[in-house]
Amino acid sequence: LPPGGRGSRRRRVAPLAAAPPAEAGEKPLLRGIFEISKRSCDVVLSARRLRWSPILPESPTGGTGMVLQAHEEIIEMKDVFSVKLKRRCFVGQKKGGTLLGITIFKCVNKEENKLTDCAIHLNNLSEDHCHSWFRHLKEILNGFQNRPKSLKVFVNPSSHKREATHVYYDQVAPLFKLANIRTDVTVTEYEGHALSVLKECELQAFDGVVCVGGDGSVSEVAHGLLLKAQIDAGKDTNYIATPVRAPIPLGVIPAGTTNILAHTLCGIKHAVTAALHIVMGHIQPVDVCTFSTPSKLLRFGFSAMFGFGARTLALAEKHRWMPSSQRKDFAFIKTLADLKPEECELSFLPLQTIRKLQKYGHFLNVSIMAIPCLCSMAPRGLAPNTRLNNGSMALIVVQNTSRTEFIKHLKRYASVKNQFNFPFVETYTVQEVKVQPRLKSGLDAKENTYLNAASAEGNYPWNIDGDLMKEASEVHVRVHPQLIDLYGVNTDDLESSQATCNCI
């Protein structure tokens, strides 16, 4: 049926040619005429593609039967995430309206890992014609695996500049609605709120969990999701040697001061990109660490720092009254000015060996990371030699050195030079690590103030995924391969990103 109505001006057009040859297994499902971008087009739908080309008039001078060649455009159906019937409604009219055609929404890789959505309008006034196409398009979309239909969403309204609520309701929620995803939203009111909700949540009611916030918020939700999985499996949560996988994926919408996990999964700090990865069902299995003392599980996490990285976070947390950027800069400079090593014992099990190694000494920083931890301050990653799911952790040990040399090491993260090419930096690929701090005695007041900055009891701070944890005894870290699915893409497939992020 031609897309115009009665009264349309007739013109002589070439008869429809045979549908273009389909690839093997690509059987045409429907073929019809729609107006696209103000041109009548011959449209062909298969399970994999939607193709169209303008219907051109016969050449007035080219002889009988000669048809002008038309450029064919193609949409891969795997890039389409929604289809709607397009209607013209009067003001105040909530239902019905004059049918104008069909609108298809697709995901587009715009630039430098940034995703956006765009709409293609297929205009045709026939109800039967449009409803037939609409049903077929919906059937194709419903056949794609991993695309969520229902999500549990946590929004931390205190993240960064209190922007998480606006990010979700202005940028993310409209995309979820467009994709017909049902949401149950909890706006958290205090630290640990998401964890308490997840412990009581019936996870089978959802296809995924989404966190809108910074690294600390994501750390809490990831821990809660995995802890709930252990509870449901009847595991002893004080000691978990072999944890079970999270039953549903986790999505991360960046809206915090630091967004390392979101950057690692998307290659950019961009809420719409993260939301579209969720909508499209792009899933990556990811390795997770357990952090435990000899008597209890502390938490699940993806990366941790002990020493400088943790002291900086602990000092920043004590100055929450300051604006986030100033607080972070202040804590970084102050910790660097008071730079002192931690005295501790490290024991670790290298990958594919059964013999543990030990190191005892003074260390400025110890990093343990199961993911690369990408960000603009470290475009190759804080731990560039590991991957999302290679079943290992990167252990990066910075031994005691001068402040000048340590600053050179830190600056290398933002350059193309090897940040580990220093005699005081050692790297290992490991399966597990134990960190045992050595409490000091006989120190002056200033040194004790530094060493006990996290708490008066002498607990040593840990920075786990941007969340502060204080622990005085030894901490045992183990990696568990592909313990959780996260919405995103493989970091090996990402282009270099220009997104801004602070990670120390």
Side-chain angles (χ1 to χ4, degrees):
L1 180 73
R6 283 185 298 177
S8 298
R9 183 179 179 182
R10 290 190 175 184
R11 60 175 178 169
R12 191 181 181 198
V13 298
L16 290 180
E23 294 184 10
E26 189 182 354
K27 180 181 178 181
L29 302 175
L30 288 175
R31 188 182 186 191
I33 298 175
F34 288 91
E35 183 183 81
I36 303 175
S37 300
K38 299 183 179 181
R39 303 184 72 177
S40 292
C41 296
D42 176 20
V43 185
V44 179
L45 174 67
S46 69
R48 294 176 56 191
R49 294 183 176 91
L50 180 72
R51 301 174 291 153
W52 69 89
S53 56
I55 300 172
L56 301 178
E58 290 184 355
S59 171
T61 59
T64 303
M66 178 171 282
V67 180
L68 298 176
Q69 293 296 315
H71 174 69
E72 182 182 62
E73 296 193 50
I74 299 175
I75 290 178
E76 299 289 337
M77 287 303 298
K78 65 181 177 62
D79 296 329
V80 176
F81 66 89
S82 182
V83 57
K84 302 287 184 183
L85 289 171
K86 180 182 176 183
R87 295 183 182 275
R88 180 190 292 119
C89 299
F90 297 106
V91 175
Q93 185 179 359
K94 296 182 178 180
K95 294 184 179 180
T98 304
L99 182 67
L100 301 178
I102 297 171
T103 300
I104 292 173
F105 298 89
K106 63 172 289 192
C107 177
V108 180
N109 193 337
K110 190 176 182 181
E111 59 181 46
E112 304 239 342
N113 309 316
K114 184 180 290 186
L115 302 182
T116 188
D117 63 295
C118 74
I120 298 98
H121 301 284
L122 281 63
N123 299 319
N124 191 301
L125 301 183
S126 168
E127 289 268 358
D128 292 341
H129 190 65
C130 288
H131 279 286
S132 176
W133 278 75
F134 179 77
R135 285 193 302 271
H136 277 82
L137 288 165
K138 290 287 287 186
E139 287 175 5
I140 294 172
L141 296 187
N142 289 336
F144 288 115
Q145 301 297 313
N146 300 327
R147 294 192 179 183
K149 300 293 189 297
S150 178
L151 294 171
K152 177 62 187 175
V153 180
F154 292 95
V155 180
N156 180 3
S158 301
S159 290
H160 193 34
K161 299 176 182 178
R162 302 185 180 276
E163 63 183 13
T165 304
H166 295 294
V167 167
Y168 177 72
Y169 286 106
D170 295 346
Q171 301 180 47
V172 178
L175 286 171
F176 288 171
K177 182 179 179 180
L178 188 61
N180 297 317
I181 298 174
R182 301 183 303 276
T183 56
D184 181 63
V185 181
T186 296
V187 179
T188 57
E189 299 175 0
Y190 53 88
E191 184 178 351
H193 188 182
L195 177 60
S196 63
V197 171
L198 281 167
K199 283 183 178 180
E200 304 298 327
C201 184
E202 297 295 333
L203 294 178
Q204 63 268 23
F206 303 100
D207 299 316
V209 174
V210 174
C211 178
V212 187
D215 286 336
S217 305
V218 174
S219 176
E220 179 183 330
V221 172
H223 172 66
L225 181 58
L226 283 162
L227 189 63
K228 173 63 172 175
Q230 313 316 308
I231 294 171
D232 289 348
K235 294 276 187 177
D236 178 4
T237 55
N238 287 323
Y239 177 77
I240 306 175
T242 55
V244 299
R245 295 188 87 244
I248 54 178
L250 171 63
V252 181
I253 305 294
T257 306
T258 57
N259 301 277
I260 289 178
L261 190 56
H263 199 133
T264 301
L265 290 163
C266 302
I268 191 171
K269 178 192 172 184
H270 189 240
V272 169
T273 295
L276 284 171
H277 281 305
I278 296 170
V279 167
M280 302 300 293
H282 296 160
I283 286 179
Q284 293 296 321
V286 178
D287 299 340
V288 179
C289 304
T290 50
F291 299 84
S292 310
T293 67
S295 61
K296 65 177 180 178
L297 170 72
L298 296 174
R299 70 185 305 143
F300 293 93
F302 302 96
S303 64
M305 286 187 281
F306 176 80
F308 178 80
R311 294 288 178 191
T312 301
L313 177 62
L315 188 58
E317 290 296 310
K318 291 178 66 176
H319 292 78
R320 274 280 175 183
W321 53 270
M322 297 175 66
S324 59
S325 58
Q326 295 180 21
R327 177 177 72 242
K328 197 166 187 180
D329 291 343
F330 165 78
F332 178 82
I333 294 171
K334 183 70 169 62
T335 307
L336 195 58
D338 295 334
L339 185 65
K340 290 183 178 66
E342 309 283 359
E343 184 178 357
C344 65
E345 179 181 335
L346 297 176
S347 60
F348 53 93
L349 180 64
L351 190 66
Q352 298 178 340
T353 66
I354 58 174
R355 182 187 173 197
K356 289 189 176 181
L357 301 180
Q358 287 188 317
K359 294 186 71 67
Y360 178 81
H362 296 79
F363 308 107
L364 291 178
N365 193 72
V366 177
S367 296
I368 306 166
M369 299 180 171
I371 61 174
C373 296
L374 271 65
C375 58
S376 65
M377 294 296 291
R380 294 181 298 114
L382 297 176
N385 295 329
T386 192
R387 295 294 180 266
L388 287 174
N389 47 32
N390 63 353
S392 67
M393 301 179 292
L395 172 62
I396 304 164
V397 180
V398 182
Q399 300 184 60
N400 193 22
T401 188
S402 68
R403 184 181 293 107
T404 300
E405 289 298 300
F406 184 63
I407 291 174
K408 288 180 181 178
H409 162 65
L410 294 180
K411 286 184 174 181
R412 285 274 185 96
Y413 280 96
S415 72
V416 296
K417 295 182 179 179
N418 185 354
Q419 63 262 43
F420 308 132
N421 190 23
F422 292 92
F424 55 87
V425 179
E426 298 178 9
T427 62
Y428 305 90
T429 302
V430 300
Q431 303 173 58
E432 58 181 283
V433 182
K434 284 185 180 179
V435 180
Q436 174 65 65
R438 298 297 183 186
L439 299 177
K440 296 184 179 181
S441 60
L443 302 178
D444 60 35
K446 183 177 180 181
E447 287 178 307
N448 268 314
T449 298
Y450 170 79
L451 287 172
N452 298 329
S455 73
E457 293 80 16
N459 285 352
Y460 282 75
W462 280 77
N463 180 341
I464 300 181
D465 298 329
D467 205 11
L468 181 64
M469 183 187 73
K470 306 165 191 174
E471 187 56 48
S473 63
E474 75 174 42
V475 173
H476 187 187
V477 188
R478 286 192 297 251
V479 66
H480 304 278
Q482 303 185 19
L483 198 61
I484 193 171
D485 287 331
L486 297 180
Y487 289 106
V489 293
N490 194 308
T491 51
D492 291 338
D493 300 330
L494 294 176
E495 303 171 8
S496 60
S497 174
Q498 302 298 319
T500 57
C501 162
N502 298 309
C503 44
I504 296 180

